[in-house]
Amino acid sequence: MYIEKVRITIKSLGDEQYNEFILKLRNKLKYKFGIDTKPSELKKQVDNFLNNKTEKISIRYLEAYLLTLNDLSVNGGIKAIVEGKLTSANSWRDLLILATQDQPLPLGVNVDVLDEVLIKDIKSLFTNIIKYCANENKEVFRHNIHTVNQFLSIKKDLEQ
């Protein structure tokens, strides 16, 4: 039952999201589990899984699928098992979790000094940047984010 819900979730991904899933799955398998698979072979394995052409799935691959779904949506693996679907980031919290979950805190940021005022200012910084860059056209949004990110990286580039 739970495996079938994972299948349904992956099948429900759009083409672009499915390709992103395959790419992230390959990286997850390679770097977390030490399994290096050619993209075409991996796609074939996933397609076989989705179409019930495999007798069983290994725990490693199932874990990799669930971890990859977590990369696509907040708690994506759990949502796949329980609900059989993913939800997109609908809140600032979800967006920030997806964007920062694999990033350590920068050097020089001491969590002990983060008080309510500082956290509020950090939250405001994130939301202002996203609001400033927002555009319904994906390419324009990507360009805006890239441009602001380049601007914010100027000092860092000069220090090197």
Side-chain angles (χ1 to χ4, degrees):
M1 177 171 93
Y2 296 119
I3 300 293
E4 189 56 36
K5 286 186 178 184
V6 173
R7 282 187 180 105
I8 290 167
T9 302
I10 297 170
K11 282 181 181 180
S12 72
L13 299 175
D15 289 340
E16 191 173 317
Q17 211 174 15
Y18 180 74
N19 290 333
E20 182 182 1
F21 173 80
I22 295 293
L23 181 69
K24 288 182 180 218
L25 176 62
R26 183 168 186 254
N27 288 334
K28 192 76 65 189
L29 286 167
K30 185 175 183 177
Y31 297 110
K32 183 164 177 67
F33 297 102
I35 301 171
D36 195 7
T37 308
K38 292 180 182 178
S40 59
E41 285 298 314
L42 182 59
K43 190 170 180 344
K44 190 185 300 183
Q45 280 184 314
V46 172
D47 288 342
N48 285 341
F49 169 72
L50 295 178
N51 296 311
N52 279 334
K53 292 183 181 177
T54 54
E55 298 265 333
K56 54 187 170 181
I57 182 172
S58 74
I59 295 297
R60 277 187 173 169
Y61 272 82
L62 180 60
E63 184 178 359
Y65 288 6
L66 296 175
L67 290 171
T68 303
L69 290 169
N70 278 344
D71 289 346
L72 298 178
S73 175
V74 175
N75 296 323
I78 296 293
K79 288 177 183 174
I81 290 171
V82 175
E83 300 171 20
K85 63 182 178 179
L86 292 184
T87 54
S88 58
N90 292 324
S91 69
W92 282 103
R93 180 184 179 278
D94 291 349
L95 178 61
L96 290 173
I97 288 171
L98 285 174
T100 60
Q101 68 186 354
D102 61 345
Q103 297 294 314
L105 282 175
L107 294 175
V109 174
N110 181 352
V111 293
D112 296 331
V113 301
L114 296 176
D115 59 10
E116 286 183 37
V117 174
L118 192 52
I119 290 173
K120 185 177 177 182
D121 285 340
I122 291 170
K123 195 183 302 185
S124 178
L125 175 67
F126 281 132
T127 56
N128 285 335
I129 289 171
I130 300 300
K131 285 178 186 177
Y132 178 76
C133 296
N135 193 294
E136 293 198 15
N137 181 304
K138 181 180 179 177
E139 292 306 315
V140 173
F141 184 44
R142 180 178 288 147
H143 173 74
N144 291 349
I145 291 286
H146 181 73
T147 302
V148 169
N149 194 33
Q150 279 184 312
F151 172 75
L152 294 173
S153 301
I154 289 173
K155 184 177 185 282
K156 190 167 95 177
D157 290 343
L158 293 174
E159 290 174 350
Q160 293 177 347

